[in-house]
């Protein structure tokens, strides 16, 4: 016999849940914001942080009064601009706060998703430290707004139709439309040899700014190894 508690647990964060917002649970954002009729349960701890509306896509610059496009960059220049932003921010997060497992940037147009940057750390403590520090910092002349996010599975948060080139809702879709980085940059940041790639080397290859990457401290290595040993048993 299924108890009420089991039933509520099974539908938590789904569209059948009439109490908790399924969109906030899946993507960490909701188009209704504070006006939403369902609860937005903000996590007290998480591996994932959200930096709201951080990335400013040059493509979104309004047209000039004479009708000319606000952005005159070519597709290649736009990709290079995004790759540089992504690489710089990725290394900044790793250097200051801890190992980054995943990082994604939304290409949606809705106010609750546009320019959102999601960063998943290996350690929840690193995520908490990043949120506290980033809320005291500025980027591109604007204060950074950082918070812990409930997102744990980006596959569930993404629009499957968009990935297949079939989304009819366009930029105002309520699921994530992730902006892709170049394949070479993805290999450098998330490939099996990424620890051997330094920001200085990436600068020579055309990505990001040149900055010396700090070596991983022995203390962090011991902490990571101890955690993996505990997880094994």
């Amino acid at each position: 016999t299924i108890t009420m508690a089991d039933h509520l647990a099974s539908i938590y964060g789904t569209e059948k849940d009439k109490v908790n917002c399924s969109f906030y649970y899946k993507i960490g954002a909701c188009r209704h914001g504070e006006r939403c009729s369902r609860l937005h349960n903000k996590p007290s701890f998480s591996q994932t942080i959200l930096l709201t509306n951080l990335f400013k896509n040059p493509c979104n610059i309004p047209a000039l009064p004479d009708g000319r496009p606000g952005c005159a960059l070519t597709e290649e220049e736009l990709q290079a601009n995004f790759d540089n932003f992504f690489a710089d921010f990725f290394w900044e997060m790793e250097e200051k706060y801890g190992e980054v497992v995943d990082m994604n940037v939304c290409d949606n147009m809705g106010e609750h998703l546009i320019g959102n940057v999601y960063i998943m750390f290996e350690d929840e403590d690193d995520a908490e430290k990043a949120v506290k520090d980033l809320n005291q910092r500025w980027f591109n002349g604007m204060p950074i707004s950082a918070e812990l996010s409930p997102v744990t599975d980006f596959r569930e948060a993404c629009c499957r139709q968009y990935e297949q080139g079939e989304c009819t809702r366009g930029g105002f879709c309520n699921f994530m439309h992730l902006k892709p980085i170049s394949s070479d940059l993805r290999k450098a940041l998330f490939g099996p040899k990424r620890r051997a790639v330094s920001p200085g080397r990436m600068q020579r290859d055309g990505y990001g700014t040149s900055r010396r990457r700090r070596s991983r401290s022995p203390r962090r290595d011991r902490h990571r190894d101890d955690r993996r040993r505990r997880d094994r048993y």
Side-chain angles (χ1 to χ4, degrees):
T1 302
I2 298 178
T3 66
M4 179 58 70
D6 291 334
H7 172 68
L8 293 176
S10 68
I11 66 172
Y12 180 82
T14 69
E15 293 180 3
K16 294 180 180 180
D17 189 342
K18 303 302 181 183
V19 177
N20 303 288
C21 178
S22 62
F23 276 104
Y24 181 79
Y25 178 72
K26 288 181 179 179
I27 65 176
C30 169
R31 64 189 177 94
H32 299 295
E34 298 299 326
R35 302 186 305 275
C36 185
S37 61
R38 301 183 184 184
L39 295 177
H40 292 179
N41 292 308
K42 298 190 176 183
S44 55
F45 53 88
S46 175
Q47 289 176 262
T48 307
I49 70 171
L50 164 62
L51 311 179
T52 57
N53 311 131
L54 184 77
F55 175 66
K56 308 301 181 185
N57 193 335
C59 288
N60 298 332
I61 298 175
L64 300 176
D66 60 6
R68 288 181 298 159
C71 175
L73 298 178
T74 65
E75 289 295 327
E76 291 76 12
E77 290 170 335
L78 286 169
Q79 186 64 57
N81 173 76
F82 179 60
D83 281 354
N84 285 333
F85 162 84
F86 197 102
D88 276 347
F89 230 88
F90 179 94
W91 288 117
E92 179 83 4
M93 296 302 99
E94 284 226 333
E95 287 178 354
K96 288 186 176 293
Y97 309 118
E99 183 175 337
V100 174
V101 176
D102 202 358
M103 176 172 158
N104 290 293
V105 179
C106 286
D107 205 21
N108 303 63
M109 293 297 293
E111 289 184 7
H112 63 300
L113 286 175
I114 186 170
N116 282 1
V117 177
Y118 294 82
I119 303 166
M120 180 180 285
F121 289 91
E122 174 73 20
D123 195 297
E124 291 173 349
D125 291 340
D126 293 337
E128 182 179 8
K129 178 173 60 177
V131 167
K132 289 180 179 178
D133 185 57
L134 289 168
N135 276 318
Q136 308 300 318
R137 297 177 58 185
W138 290 58
F139 180 77
N140 273 352
M142 298 289 291
I144 295 176
S145 175
E147 62 185 55
L148 294 175
S149 172
V151 176
T152 57
D153 188 345
F154 287 102
R155 292 171 299 179
E156 287 294 317
C158 291
C159 174
R160 293 183 177 87
Q161 286 79 14
Y162 174 74
E163 293 175 347
Q164 297 168 2
E166 300 173 355
C167 181
T168 59
R169 295 180 292 272
F172 291 94
C173 178
N174 285 316
F175 286 96
M176 291 184 191
H177 288 191
L178 299 184
K179 189 170 179 61
I181 56 177
S182 64
S183 58
D184 287 344
L185 180 57
R186 179 157 295 280
K187 290 178 184 177
L189 295 180
F190 300 105
K193 297 182 179 180
R194 77 182 182 107
R195 296 299 168 200
V197 181
S198 69
R201 167 69 180 277
M202 293 184 68
Q203 170 68 7
R204 292 194 294 274
D205 292 342
Y207 298 117
T209 57
S210 179
R211 77 166 58 93
R212 181 176 298 174
R213 188 178 180 213
R214 295 185 312 187
S215 60
R216 186 183 299 276
S217 70
R219 181 181 179 184
R220 181 182 295 173
D221 278 340
R222 288 196 300 271
H223 175 71
R224 181 191 60 188
D225 293 340
D226 290 344
R227 185 170 65 249
R228 287 178 177 173
R229 280 196 292 270
R230 288 197 303 270
D231 293 342
R232 194 176 298 134
Y233 297 102

